[in-house]
Amino acid sequence: MAGKSINLSKARVLVSNDDGIHAPGLKLLEEAMAKLAREVWVVAPETEQSAASHSLTLRLPLRIRKLSKNRFAVNGTPTDCVLLGINEIMKKSPPDLVVSGVNRGGNMGEDVTYSGTVAAAMEGTLLGVPSFALSQLSTDDHPVKWATAKKWIGPVLKKLCAEPWPQGVLMNVNFPDITGGKVIGIEITRQGRRKIGSDLVRGTDPRGEPYYWIGAQRREEHYGQGTDLEALGRGAVSVTPLTMDLTHGPTLKQLKARIT
Ligand code: MN
């Protein structure tokens, strides 16, 4: 396989997220990376950017606010943060690794295309830096089990950094919504799929105007074998290698043969 493995203990790491600079998952990831790597830099959005996807800020100027040594907030999206982190804040010596998260809530299946957490890792990948997106599954009816992510970040990163993988591929990691001791292990999975769009709240605002509010994704009982959704449901940490090249090979081949 093309690509080089990463020497994690010697790595300079750029940490970002989409929940914003004050998010508990960001603090957790900073602390975990400080133990695993040589140097940790943080560049994260001033405000929450969940579901910002891979958007760039083009019509407004971006400002970098230095909070402390190696720690910065940007008034933009996760993509803006990684772009400025690599091309401006760390430009003299770019990072060896980008880690994004730990997101409050999972990023599985079609979440990947909406996610700002995954987008930060996409931007790192496009700029030639090996990148991870990290998310902790949770539901609204109980506190987020951050201790599960905390326990499993080290084992996951150590294992994957020892493996070379090609440029243009990023690692999407999800931690299951169970306590860390009950996790059954790390599984390599493919991106799953759910039916979405059923949870739309319709209401009327105080001035009598209708409004619409997009709710949670629909839960389903059965997921495809080998998918992120299925592995997480059984209590595994899921690792999905994602590619930035969205071309669908079989359709490309079929159309090339039929259309000339
Ligand atoms: Mn988020």
Side-chain angles (χ1 to χ4, degrees), residues 4 12 16 24 33 37 43-44 47 53 69 75 92 100 104 146 167 185 191 195 198-199 203 215 232 238 246 253:
K4 289 183 295 191
R12 297 170 70 252
S16 194
M33 295 317 297
V43 185
T47 57
S53 187
K69 186 174 180 279
N75 62 332
K92 284 184 190 149
S100 172
R104 187 172 68 86
W146 292 116
Q167 277 217 348
Q191 186 184 347
K195 289 177 192 152
S198 59
D199 187 9
L232 286 154
S238 164
L246 300 179
K253 207 172 160 192

Side-chain angles (χ1 to χ4, degrees), residues 18-19 48 50 103 117:
D18 79 355
D19 292 338
E48 182 173 346
S50 292
N103 189 60
T117 305

